Amino acid sequence: MRRRLVTTYVLLLCLVLLALEIPLAVSLTGRETERVLSDRIADTTRLASLAVPAVRSGEFASLLDELGRYHELYGIGATFVDLDRRPWIGFGGDPLTADHAAAAVRGALAGRVVGTPGTLWPWESRPLVVAVPVDDGGAVLGAIVTVSPTDGNRGAILLAWAQLGLLGAAAVAVCVLAALRLAGWVLHPVTRLDEVTHQIAAGHGGARVHPGVGPPELRRLSASFNEMADAVADSLERQRSFVAHASHQLRNPLTVLRLRVESLGMALTDDDAREDHRFALEETDRFAQMLDGLLALARAERGGHRTETVDAVDAVRRRELAWQPLTAHREVTLRVAVPDEPHYVEQVATALDQSLDALIDNALKFTPPGGTVEVTVASRDGGVEVTVRDTGPGMTAEQCRQATERFWRAPDAQNVDGAGLGLPIVAVLVDASGGRLTLAPAGPRGLEARLWWRPGTPVPAALP
């Protein structure tokens, strides 16, 4: 935008300069032509006046001397042409060899003072021809023709044009510098707004625009943007606080309710009543899991996460040890394939551990006995990718796209334990860490969850 704005400024300036300098250049050329032409007409008229007595008496010696001195002093050819347009006497060659001199001579023999060309344009090379009639009381006796080289005059005109061009180029350079500074000053708030918008979208909810720079209109826009960002952040914080507080406050009455329902079970003797009692306990456990998920999601969505660097290989091995008893109980093989060297990643606190727990838990829920859950670590796309792949029924591509929505459950998994908040929590944690979560069907069957993390730099241990 800055380049386009400066280009517009410079284009307008160039148009103004062209509108001013072209007429000025034409005026300079015309003035130089008029000065030279007036000077030559005056000289030629004086020579014509000297030719009158010479032609009348037939004594051309004095006229010949005068024409010779004139040619010697100024280098300008001067010739007397008779009524038959024949060069009679003169110096500087035959004036009629110039293609435009014949017309000038005819005009002079007709009694007119003729100078040609009318304008000394720099791209032409024709000499300046001036023809003045030798007039004796109204009778034309011949004409004096002077042929002047114009290289010097055209050079002076070119020099004047070059000075105009340099002046215009200097004006354009000054304008470009001024336009760059002006555009930078005007667009600085817009640039800052764009940066802050991306920062807020990346999860830095506290980013704001400094409202004290730029034109008044953009200062007001920056202040309005900050007010809007504060209002949105306050609303989101209130929403998260409400969810967190509601989840926390509901846990105590839910715990009391479960204890009372559990104590009632000891008094039941009917089989149907015991079955209903078991269903009631399962529903309270499911409700408790949902509250835990909501509380974890509210905590994960709070801004201001501090990132840290952990070794993904070490984290995967620790989660393997933690999940090994449950996988053995469910007769599912948990296979880990990690490199020997550390692979450091940048994450918010416990994000990798929580993500692995949620993905392995999901994989175990859907993997039948005898199946396999595989966790791998590898370098990819300039970062570290941790993959959890199972051999369960998997999901379609459309279901993978919807799986990170809150409380979403696959149509064929409505009766599976869970609150539908595991994958949304993983997505929030990974996004807050600057990574990404990708779900895709695995071949030949199953689901593949890929966690990509930004590479991290380990902090050296402090010296004792």
Side-chain angles (χ1 to χ4, degrees), residues 114-455:
V114 179
T116 185
T119 304
L120 299 177
W121 297 114
W123 53 83
E124 292 183 353
S125 59
R126 294 183 298 173
L128 177 63
V129 177
V130 175
V132 175
V134 179
D135 188 355
D136 184 14
V140 177
L141 304 178
I144 294 294
V145 181
T146 59
V147 179
S148 308
T150 58
D151 295 341
N153 305 104
R154 298 181 197 277
I157 293 172
L158 272 180
L159 179 61
W161 285 19
Q163 291 173 347
L164 281 177
L166 291 176
L167 184 62
V172 170
V174 172
C175 180
V176 168
L177 293 177
L180 285 173
R181 296 184 65 84
L182 179 62
W185 177 72
V186 171
L187 296 179
H188 179 73
V190 179
T191 305
R192 185 57 185 154
L193 276 173
D194 182 67
E195 293 175 354
V196 170
T197 301
H198 284 84
Q199 291 174 1
I200 292 176
H204 303 285
R208 296 293 182 271
V209 183
H210 192 281
V213 295
E217 295 81 1
L218 293 182
R219 293 182 188 178
R220 289 196 294 272
L221 177 62
S222 300
S224 300
F225 177 85
N226 288 340
E227 293 175 359
M228 181 196 67
D230 290 339
V232 172
D234 183 66
S235 176
L236 290 175
E237 182 59 27
R238 287 174 182 272
Q239 182 182 4
R240 295 189 189 108
S241 297
F242 173 77
V243 173
H245 292 161
S247 302
H248 183 73
Q249 292 299 324
L250 286 174
R251 287 185 59 83
N252 291 335
L254 182 62
T255 303
V256 173
L257 176 62
R258 193 184 191 289
L259 290 175
R260 289 185 178 276
V261 172
E262 189 174 359
S263 62
L264 287 175
M266 293 183 293
L268 299 176
T269 57
D270 183 73
D271 291 340
D272 293 337
R274 287 182 176 179
E275 186 68 15
D276 292 339
H277 175 260
R278 187 177 64 82
F279 287 152
L281 289 178
E282 289 179 356
E283 286 301 313
T284 55
D285 291 341
R286 183 170 176 272
F287 192 20
Q289 291 178 359
M290 185 179 297
L291 291 179
D292 291 341
L294 286 172
L295 187 59
L297 183 61
R299 289 172 177 171
E301 287 184 334
R302 288 181 182 275
H305 296 294
R306 288 195 310 169
T307 59
E308 60 185 18
T309 299
V310 298
D311 179 12
V313 174
D314 181 64
V316 168
R317 284 174 174 163
R318 284 190 287 103
R319 301 327 298 160
E320 178 191 13
L321 292 177
W323 283 93
Q324 200 69 52
L326 183 58
T327 55
H329 175 72
R330 295 189 179 181
E331 299 178 358
V332 174
T333 302
L334 177 59
R335 184 181 303 158
V336 172
V338 296
D340 295 333
E341 65 277 7
H343 280 53
Y344 294 103
V345 300
E346 187 174 354
Q347 61 152 19
V348 298
T350 70
L352 180 54
D353 288 346
Q354 292 188 59
S355 300
L356 284 173
D357 285 343
L359 294 178
I360 294 174
D361 182 47
N362 269 356
L364 290 177
K365 288 177 184 175
F366 295 100
T367 302
T372 303
V373 175
E374 184 180 22
V375 183
T376 61
V377 177
S379 299
R380 189 180 298 278
D381 298 336
V384 178
E385 186 174 85
V386 180
T387 305
V388 178
R389 185 182 300 106
D390 62 59
T391 56
M395 292 190 296
T396 64
E398 178 63 21
Q399 290 174 342
C400 289
R401 190 185 63 80
Q402 298 176 346
T404 55
E405 297 178 1
R406 299 174 188 179
F407 304 111
W408 182 86
R409 305 290 297 273
D412 55 349
Q414 297 296 322
N415 296 324
V416 179
D417 292 340
L421 293 172
L423 289 178
I425 293 174
V426 173
V428 171
L429 291 173
V430 175
D431 184 66
S433 302
R436 59 177 179 267
L437 167 65
T438 305
L439 299 175
R445 60 174 306 183
L447 179 67
E448 182 179 82
R450 294 181 178 180
L451 300 171
W452 183 89
W453 306 85
R454 292 184 299 174

Side-chain angles (χ1 to χ4, degrees), residues 69-152:
R69 285 196 298 272
Y70 183 76
H71 174 68
E72 182 179 357
L73 286 175
Y74 302 108
I76 299 174
T79 304
F80 171 73
V81 179
D82 62 11
L83 292 175
D84 295 329
R85 288 184 287 176
R86 292 176 301 181
W88 190 259
I89 57 173
F91 293 88
D94 187 358
L96 299 180
T97 55
D99 54 354
H100 58 296
V105 172
R106 285 196 301 270
L109 294 179
R112 295 180 285 110
V113 177
V114 179
T116 185
T119 304
L120 299 177
W121 297 114
W123 53 83
E124 292 183 353
S125 59
R126 294 183 298 173
L128 177 63
V129 177
V130 175
V132 175
V134 179
D135 188 355
D136 184 14
V140 177
L141 304 178
I144 294 294
V145 181
T146 59
V147 179
S148 308
T150 58
D151 295 341

